[in-house]
Amino acid sequence: MQDGLFKPDLRKKPMSDHFKTIFKTFSAEIIEKKSRFIATITPASTEQEALDFIKSCKKTYHDARHNCSAYIIGTDGRIKHSSDDGEPSGTAGKPMLTVLDSNGLYNTAAVVTRYFGGILLGTGGLVRAYTRALEKCIESAELKTMFYGTKIKIEASYTDAGKLQHMFSGEDITVLSADYTDKVAFNIIIPSEDEAALIKTVSEMTASRSVPEILERSYYTL
């Protein structure tokens, strides 16, 4: 079932027809040689949202030794950034960014907070700890795949509406709404690559009595 739209800049065709992201903010933690690592991950559709999230985590865990971060923004992952926040260079933020990248997560920001436990971990130990904390968080979090689709309105007579409903069901097409007046008006959403085929099918099924109207192109989830 469709549960929401994420609207990109529609002045140009998106680089990707789908991407994975986080459904909602989630946290998980591990203990490594008495140091506590708290990983928090959240959806972020803009770089400013990612920066606001990092700022919020630093406020929440203001007494922690480090709040390291990484984020990938854009439906094609065009904006990537990481911060070690005082840890030795390359031991925290970069490994976290690698975890996000390897999981194919876009429009996603992550912070791993460290409460120092008094035992030095060394560079290799830090890389493993930050990596493991974020991986555990992602494994436990709810992920979703966003598909680039087209929202279409189709008005039909009651006779044609039955045929269309049967087609929607058989093709597993998401029906957002159906309004019944003197006609039936369906709002549906389909992968944008299927636009031409859908328009042709509707025209053939209704003998051109129904002409699909394209309302918008957006990212959506099933």
Side-chain angles (χ1 to χ4, degrees):
M1 181 177 292
Q2 189 269 352
D3 67 2
L5 297 175
F6 168 76
K7 298 180 181 178
D9 183 352
L10 297 181
R11 291 174 294 182
K12 60 182 180 179
K13 186 177 180 180
M15 295 292 290
S16 174
D17 60 355
H18 70 279
F19 66 93
K20 286 196 300 181
T21 189
I22 296 294
F23 182 72
K24 60 183 178 181
T25 302
F26 194 86
S27 294
E29 68 176 85
I30 65 169
I31 302 295
E32 184 70 28
K33 293 184 179 179
K34 298 186 179 180
S35 279
R36 183 184 178 201
F37 293 84
I38 306 169
T40 308
I41 194 165
T42 197
S45 59
T46 66
E47 189 167 22
Q48 188 58 54
E49 286 184 8
L51 294 173
D52 289 344
F53 166 69
I54 294 167
K55 183 178 179 180
S56 175
C57 287
K58 287 184 175 182
K59 183 177 180 180
T60 299
Y61 301 109
H62 61 88
D63 56 339
R65 178 73 68 90
H66 307 282
N67 283 286
C68 304
S69 59
Y71 56 80
I72 300 179
I73 305 298
T75 58
D76 56 353
R78 64 188 177 278
I79 300 175
K80 298 180 181 181
H81 181 77
S82 64
S83 170
D84 294 312
D85 194 38
E87 291 283 30
S89 178
T91 62
K94 194 171 182 179
M96 291 168 59
L97 190 60
T98 297
V99 172
L100 293 180
D101 221 354
S102 63
N103 280 275
L105 290 173
Y106 295 168
N107 283 358
T108 302
V111 171
V112 176
T113 300
R114 181 191 182 190
Y115 284 93
F116 184 55
I119 300 176
L120 296 177
L121 300 181
T123 56
L126 287 172
V127 170
R128 287 190 294 273
Y130 279 99
T131 297
R132 190 160 67 88
L134 186 52
E135 286 179 340
K136 180 180 179 181
C137 188
I138 293 173
E139 288 171 1
S140 303
E142 185 176 353
L143 308 183
K144 63 180 178 180
T145 301
M146 305 295 291
F147 296 90
Y148 191 69
T150 303
K151 186 176 179 181
I152 296 175
K153 180 179 181 179
I154 303 173
E155 290 188 341
S157 67
Y158 277 81
T159 300
D160 290 333
K163 303 176 188 175
L164 292 174
Q165 285 177 312
H166 182 73
M167 185 265 287
F168 297 153
S169 177
E171 297 296 327
D172 198 26
I173 292 174
T174 299
V175 179
L176 302 176
S177 64
D179 298 322
Y180 296 86
T181 54
D182 56 323
K183 293 184 177 181
V184 182
F186 297 104
N187 282 326
I188 66 172
I189 195 160
I190 61 171
S192 291
E193 61 188 21
D194 295 338
E195 275 181 31
L198 184 281
I199 291 172
K200 180 180 179 182
T201 298
V202 170
S203 178
E204 291 175 349
M205 291 182 67
T206 65
S208 299
R209 289 183 293 272
S210 293
V211 179
E213 176 187 357
I214 294 176
L215 301 179
E216 66 176 344
R217 295 180 178 90
S218 304
Y219 281 98
Y220 70 101
T221 57
L222 291 175

